[in-house]
Amino acid sequence: MAVTQTEHPPAFTPEQLQSVRLTLMSPRRLKTEVLAGLVVALALIPEAIAFSLIAGVDPRLGLFASFTMAVSIAFLGGRPAMISAATAATALVIAPLVSSHGVDYFIAAVILAGIFQVILGVLGVAKLMRFIPRSVMVGFVNALGILIFSSQLPELIGVPWLVYPMVAAGLVIIYLLPRITKVAPAPLVAIVVLTLVAVVFAINVPTVGDKGDLPESLPSLFFPNVPLNLETFQIIAPFALGMAVVGLLESLMTAKLVDDITDTRSQKTRESWGQGVANIITGFFGGMGGCAMVGQTMINVKASGARTRISTFLAGVFVLILAVSLGTIVAQIPMAALVAVMIFVSVATFDWHSIQPRTLKMMPKSETIVMLATVIITVATHNLAIGVGAGVLVAMVMFARRVAHFVTVERTVTTIGDHETATYVVDGELFFASSNDLYTQFEYALDPERVIIDMHASHLWDASTIAALDAITEKYHHHGKEVKIIGLNDASALMRERLGGKLSAGH
């Protein structure tokens, strides 16, 4: 009698899970991508409308931007499954242009921001990501979780009491359904169930439709009516550059976060110029531009399990279909359902391990300070770019302060015949922070007439160190003593030969 063996599908590697071709050949994986795109689209619509209102433009500009950004970046981006759309960060940067010069200048700034991003991407700005410490990344993630949660509070204040049990019910579905079945993403089920309940029982709670009017037509080509001259460039360039930098930083940080979640590597240079091209395309279709969205990306990757560009592409397509063709249905979705999804995302995004007492006890205090500074400044400014920049600055100060004390100087005095010689052995990396301490570690008045400074265990990094050595030798000469510096490696000797004695002229 033949024995029937159950065949198990081969496990995909993290890299294979990102393959569009393999996903199209797997109905199960394809279903995951399609449903993930749908969930993201449902979450994108009210936020796109809200960001449009922040920027002071028609909601259509935010919705069209979410469509064109997502579809464009699905092909151009370097991080599969990451969602790009209209965002609050970029809207806040260029919003003043609308009130001062109108929508045409606003759109022109979006296009110029895209051009700036392409240039920055080609110049390799993504390589600067390596200088962002892990403590800043943890702070970025934790601040993000807090901001996602706090952004839902307006939807929970001054609303009908039925909103609260609906949010609670949505959270119960999202957390418990995966334990029973994973046939459909739990966030999508929660949205559908709560919408049906609200419609069937005629529950009067805030809905997506209350956020603003949905478009009734497809986006079309748009050319901003602005004069193409230097004056226009001077008006829009500062806003465009700000948007370009903020958008790139948020996108690259989000890409790094997705890298960690999926155990894969993204092409950050491609992502940089891809964001630029996507913004250019978006501008020429009358969209408000944008960048990667961390919250929606977490819905896509973490909550729904998507891994490929298919989900990103479909998120954009579904935004357009739902907003234009099914607007009357989408408008009836209760905001309580989307609030439940975003609360779940905020909890899942926050790195709870980083604030456990055991972790804090093991972690160096300097890294904890950097993490807290990143969180506090990001939450205070509601700007991830400013928070990350401040976190990197604090990390640099902490690093410089710590390594400044790594330099050691050992003094020995030897006597050969009737001559005494003081020998100092300098050990450590010498730069602007540590060289200040170096000057104070010599016994200028007490040393004998011959002094040797042995630098074989050190390295000179900058002009501040050369100036410190010049000051040390001048101090000894002032006391009538002979000093000799030995043991410099080739790079340090070359720097001292080029700069030695030339940094204190005129002082």
Side-chain angles (χ1 to χ4, degrees), residues 79 82 250-259 266 268:
R79 174 63 265 176
M82 190 164 76
E250 189 159 345
S251 298
L252 294 175
M253 291 291 286
T254 305
K256 192 173 187 301
L257 179 60
V258 179
D259 289 353
S266 56
K268 293 185 176 60

Side-chain angles (χ1 to χ4, degrees), residues 402-426:
R402 195 165 76 180
V403 300
H405 303 292
F406 283 173
V407 175
T408 60
V409 178
E410 292 186 7
R411 175 180 182 266
T412 58
V413 178
T414 57
T415 303
I416 302 176
D418 295 331
H419 299 287
E420 279 190 329
T421 302
T423 301
Y424 290 88
V425 177
V426 181

Side-chain angles (χ1 to χ4, degrees), residues 332-404:
Q332 298 181 61
I333 296 175
M335 287 302 299
L338 299 176
V339 169
V341 173
M342 296 310 291
I343 290 175
F344 164 73
V345 170
S346 69
V347 173
T349 301
F350 196 92
D351 186 352
W352 298 99
H353 175 73
S354 67
I355 61 171
Q356 291 179 357
R358 182 181 176 184
T359 304
L360 294 174
K361 187 176 180 180
M362 292 188 301
M363 196 68 63
K365 290 183 179 179
S366 60
E367 295 201 21
T368 301
I369 291 172
V370 170
M371 186 265 285
L372 289 174
T374 305
V375 171
I376 292 170
I377 295 172
T378 301
V379 172
T381 62
H382 280 69
N383 191 313
L384 293 169
I386 293 176
V388 170
V392 171
L393 183 60
V394 173
M396 289 170 59
V397 172
M398 290 291 179
F399 174 76
R401 185 168 178 263
R402 195 165 76 180
V403 300

Side-chain angles (χ1 to χ4, degrees), residues 139-150 342 345-347 349-350:
F140 166 80
V141 169
N142 290 344
L144 182 63
I146 294 171
L147 287 177
I148 292 174
F149 180 82
S150 63
M342 296 310 291
V345 170
S346 69
V347 173
T349 301
F350 196 92

Side-chain angles (χ1 to χ4, degrees), residues 87 208 328:
T87 61
V208 172
T328 54

Side-chain angles (χ1 to χ4, degrees), residues 194-342:
L194 292 181
T195 302
L196 289 174
V197 168
V199 171
V200 170
F201 294 97
I203 298 175
N204 186 22
V205 292
T207 63
V208 172
D210 296 331
K211 288 291 181 181
D213 295 330
L214 297 175
E216 297 178 353
S217 61
L218 297 175
S220 57
L221 283 175
F222 177 86
F223 295 92
N225 184 24
V226 297
L228 300 177
N229 53 32
L230 182 59
E231 183 181 356
T232 300
F233 179 81
Q234 290 174 334
I235 292 171
I236 66 175
F239 297 98
L241 184 59
M243 177 182 169
V245 173
V246 169
L248 278 185
L249 184 56
E250 189 159 345
S251 298
L252 294 175
M253 291 291 286
T254 305
K256 192 173 187 301
L257 179 60
V258 179
D259 289 353
D260 294 339
I261 293 172
T262 60
D263 293 324
T264 56
R265 294 181 63 185
S266 56
Q267 302 175 54
K268 293 185 176 60
T269 296
R270 176 178 172 180
E271 183 64 39
S272 299
W273 62 256
Q275 287 286 333
V277 176
N279 270 306
I280 294 171
I281 293 171
T282 297
F284 280 119
F285 275 94
M288 61 183 284
C291 63
M293 298 190 73
V294 194
Q296 273 65 24
T297 298
M298 291 300 100
I299 292 175
N300 196 44
V301 175
K302 216 166 188 179
S304 303
R307 290 293 182 270
T308 76
R309 300 174 186 274
I310 296 173
S311 58
T312 306
F313 173 78
L314 290 178
V317 172
F318 282 140
V319 163
L320 190 64
I321 293 173
L322 292 171
V324 176
S325 302
L326 303 174
T328 54
I329 297 175
V330 172
Q332 298 181 61
I333 296 175
M335 287 302 299
L338 299 176
V339 169
V341 173
M342 296 310 291

